[in-house]
Amino acid sequence: MDERQMGIQIEGKIERVNGKELSYNEFVAKYLAKNQPVVLTGLMDDWRACKDWVTDTGCPNLHFFSTHFPNSRVQVADCGVREFTDQKRVEMTVKEFIDHWAESNASDGDSKSLLYLKDWHFVKEYPEYVAYKTPLLFSDDWLNLYLDHHRMHKNSDSDQENDEISCSDYRFVYMGAKGSWTPLHADVFRSYSWSANVCGKKKWLFLSPSQCHLIFDRNLKNTVYNIFDNVSEETFPGFKKAIWLECIQDQNEIIFVPSGWFHQVHNLEDTISINHNWYNAHNLSWVWDLLWRDYNEAKGYIEDIREICDDFEALCQRNLAANTGMNFIDFVIFLVRFFLANAVQVCCHHRYEIPLWSASKLTERIAFNLASIQKIAVKMKSTESVIGNHRFFLDVNETMVDPEFVKLCIDVSRTYGRIHESENRNRDMENALVVDMLDYGSSICSIEDFVEFINDVVAKLGNICSEEKVLLTTLDG
């Protein structure tokens, strides 16, 4: 397929870098903070998946999956059938999917639809099978660290046991035959993502956020589905002006997809990939902007029933959670817990007499994290009147002694210990929480409460960590 014949403008290439020679701080400065894509090599050499999941000829080891994980129920996209803004999804077992794939290969695909296994929560389903280790460059992953210990959204109306896996994390396995593909989209929550090709080859087409308005229709509601279709200039008047980046991703290469970049992906060979979505302090603003936009969209759809609705705002928040994966309250509780988890790092360093200024990059990281959460909280405070009486309650004291929150703090400590090669103490983390943090106790029932709580904690951190005043300058500024 010649993209230029299809009216697609392609200019430039995505940088390809040896990941072994890239430090974490260099990755942050060049790609994460600048929100730029990159292809990384050399980071998959010791992955079990690259041995078990690949045959000696470099093809997907379908027999391994059908014998080791045959009964897993997975979501499979029919690449030939559009359903709303995505491909039609069906549910089947892994063995059924593999059998379909094998039959398609035997018949050269003539009699079988092209299916693409997507969003398989493999890590959660098989924690004892360590297929890979998340590369250090992608380890500051607040989304999956959080979901390892807390649910993002609890729907009291429809909590079901069989939903436990499907909403548990954003670590996925994808499997598809040559020709399978994913329509144009930007990732969930406008998160970062990384995608590692265990075997096979993919073609990626990227559009930077500065040009994304060009792929929306006149009403700014819907985007182009397939950039290789004959796209209507009347419906999408800016489409032909878009300038795309193209990237061919080979086996054992990982591609970093920044926030808000729309992309379309085609499997040029039979392919297996491992994908993560994640966010952290660098792209929290993208997450909030998406929530705010989706909230207003969800509200607009039901505006005509406002007068007859007992709690219109509560309905808006329920719809937002259903459409986006979380609502304002979920996001605030997430921010509270991560603010506390970062504040705990300061207290524990102080308790064990490890001055943060002795590890300047770690100091900068914690200060940046706290400041980013504070900025989002202040932005959310301006929406307090919108949320109205739809309040929540979070007891800080109870949070601090919650065993799952303690585990979250330990995971955060270990992560930053690895990233910044700093001394890492977590053996007495629970005691440190009780001694150093319980006097911060209060309840948070609104975004305004949260902003006040942040200010109070920052002041107390300044009192107990006077030698680390550098930590507070980012927040005070």
Side-chain angles (χ1 to χ4, degrees):
M1 181 185 298
D2 188 330
E3 292 87 350
R4 288 161 185 80
Q5 291 179 5
M6 301 297 295
I8 305 297
Q9 298 184 64
I10 297 177
E11 291 186 11
K13 297 289 184 181
I14 293 175
E15 191 176 0
R16 190 173 254 97
V17 177
N18 185 337
K20 291 181 178 178
E21 299 174 358
L22 187 68
S23 74
Y24 180 81
N25 292 323
E26 288 172 333
F27 173 69
V28 169
K30 292 181 179 179
Y31 307 108
L32 206 65
K34 293 182 179 179
N35 210 44
Q36 291 297 309
V38 64
V39 175
L40 299 166
T41 62
L43 297 178
M44 302 170 59
D45 296 344
D46 59 349
W47 285 13
R48 182 180 179 184
C50 294
K51 300 176 178 64
D52 290 352
W53 299 4
V54 186
T55 67
D56 293 339
T57 59
C59 298
N61 190 343
L62 302 184
H63 178 72
F64 182 85
F65 283 94
S66 62
T67 56
H68 285 75
F69 319 109
N71 298 319
S72 292
R73 300 204 65 81
V74 291
Q75 292 290 313
V76 176
D78 186 335
C79 295
V81 180
R82 178 175 178 175
E83 191 170 77
F84 303 108
T85 60
D86 198 1
Q87 295 160 335
K88 182 180 179 179
R89 300 273 184 127
V90 295
E91 186 179 284
M92 60 179 63
T93 65
V94 167
K95 188 177 187 309
E96 289 170 338
F97 170 74
I98 295 298
D99 289 347
H100 181 282
W101 192 344
E103 291 172 16
S104 295
N105 287 343
S107 62
D108 295 323
D110 292 337
S111 60
K112 291 284 184 178
S113 55
L114 196 59
L115 300 184
Y116 193 0
L117 186 158
K118 297 182 176 182
D119 302 334
W120 183 9
H121 295 260
F122 185 89
V123 171
K124 280 289 184 179
E125 195 169 353
Y126 298 100
E128 72 287 349
Y129 180 94
V130 183
Y132 62 97
K133 184 177 180 180
T134 300
L136 183 68
L137 302 180
F138 311 127
S139 60
D140 190 14
D141 177 350
W142 293 12
L143 179 58
N144 287 299
L145 277 176
Y146 186 82
L147 290 173
D148 284 342
H149 305 291
H150 303 282
R151 293 191 65 142
M152 182 63 74
H153 179 73
K154 291 185 178 180
N155 185 346
S156 58
D157 296 330
S158 59
D159 274 340
Q160 295 180 6
E161 290 291 329
N162 59 5
D163 288 335
E164 192 66 29
I165 292 292
S166 65
C167 60
S168 60
D169 71 340
Y170 287 85
R171 306 177 183 102
F172 307 113
V173 168
Y174 280 49
M175 300 174 63
K178 177 181 178 180
S180 53
W181 66 291
T182 298
L184 184 64
H185 68 287
D187 284 330
V188 59
F189 301 135
R190 294 304 180 264
S191 58
Y192 298 133
S193 67
W194 60 267
S195 179
N197 267 8
V198 175
C199 64
K201 181 180 292 189
K202 294 178 185 285
K203 177 165 72 173
W204 296 70
L205 283 303
F206 285 98
L207 190 67
S208 75
S210 64
Q211 295 197 52
C212 286
H213 61 285
L214 299 173
I215 58 171
F216 279 82
D217 61 18
R218 292 181 178 275
N219 299 320
L220 300 179
K221 293 291 185 184
N222 300 306
T223 62
V224 171
Y225 175 73
N226 180 359
I227 65 175
F228 298 121
D229 281 343
N230 185 14
V231 177
S232 167
E233 192 169 357
E234 181 178 353
T235 305
F236 300 96
F239 176 70
K240 290 188 176 180
K241 300 175 185 176
I243 299 175
W244 301 83
L245 283 174
E246 182 184 81
C247 176
I248 304 298
Q249 180 192 16
D250 288 316
Q251 182 172 335
N252 294 335
E253 292 185 338
I254 302 177
I255 194 160
F256 166 64
V257 183
S259 286
W261 283 68
F262 275 78
H263 48 284
Q264 184 166 313
V265 189
H266 294 258
N267 290 327
L268 303 180
E269 300 173 353
D270 292 356
T271 303
I272 301 175
S273 65
I274 293 168
N275 298 33
H276 282 209
N277 292 95
W278 94 101
Y279 50 76
N280 57 33
H282 285 282
N283 62 342
L284 276 181
S285 60
W286 285 91
V287 180
W288 167 242
D289 289 346
L290 176 70
L291 268 181
W292 181 244
R293 189 201 76 187
D294 284 1
Y295 163 80
N296 283 297
E297 201 168 275
K299 183 176 69 172
Y301 286 138
I302 60 172
E303 190 67 44
D304 56 342
I305 66 169
R306 177 189 287 270
E307 298 302 322
I308 61 173
C309 186
D310 291 337
D311 192 340
F312 180 75
E313 183 54 43
L315 179 59
C316 290
Q317 294 298 322
R318 284 198 298 273
N319 288 349
L320 178 61
N323 296 335
T324 307
M326 62 178 166
N327 59 28
F328 288 177
I329 306 308
D330 302 325
F331 191 46
V332 172
I333 292 173
F334 167 87
L335 292 176
V336 171
R337 285 176 171 147
F338 251 95
F339 183 85
L340 286 170
N342 277 272
V344 163
Q345 308 309 312
V346 181
C347 291
C348 288
H349 277 76
H350 176 72
R351 161 172 282 273
Y352 296 121
E353 298 181 347
I354 308 171
L356 283 176
W357 48 261
S358 69
S360 60
K361 291 299 181 182
L362 178 57
T363 305
E364 292 173 11
R365 169 60 41 214
I366 294 175
F368 182 76
N369 292 347
L370 295 174
S372 296
I373 294 172
Q374 183 185 46
K375 289 175 183 176
I376 297 299
V378 170
K379 286 181 71 173
M380 292 188 76
K381 185 179 176 181
S382 66
T383 70
E384 188 81 26
S385 60
V386 174
I387 298 179
N389 294 323
H390 191 62
R391 305 268 175 156
F392 60 96
F393 179 82
L394 188 130
D395 187 292
V396 174
N397 283 349
E398 290 183 2
T399 298
M400 299 304 296
V401 296
D402 178 357
E404 290 302 321
F405 176 75
V406 174
K407 292 176 186 176
L408 173 64
C409 291
I410 292 171
D411 283 350
V412 170
S413 178
R414 287 173 176 162
T415 297
Y416 291 147
R418 290 196 302 268
I419 288 174
H420 299 292
E421 299 178 342
S422 64
E423 189 170 358
N424 185 2
R425 304 285 183 89
N426 53 52
R427 51 187 168 78
D428 292 323
M429 178 72 79
E430 185 169 0
N431 290 335
L433 289 176
V434 173
V435 172
D436 290 329
M437 294 296 289
L438 273 180
D439 64 339
Y440 287 38
S442 63
S443 60
I444 299 175
C445 304
S446 67
I447 299 173
E448 184 175 2
D449 287 348
F450 182 32
V451 172
E452 292 177 0
F453 177 76
I454 289 174
N455 295 334
D456 184 44
V457 170
V458 168
K460 290 181 178 179
L461 289 179
N463 291 333
I464 69 168
C465 304
S466 58
E467 74 276 21
E468 291 146 7
K469 289 292 186 182
V470 65
L471 174 69
L472 304 177
T473 56
T474 303
L475 288 162
D476 291 341

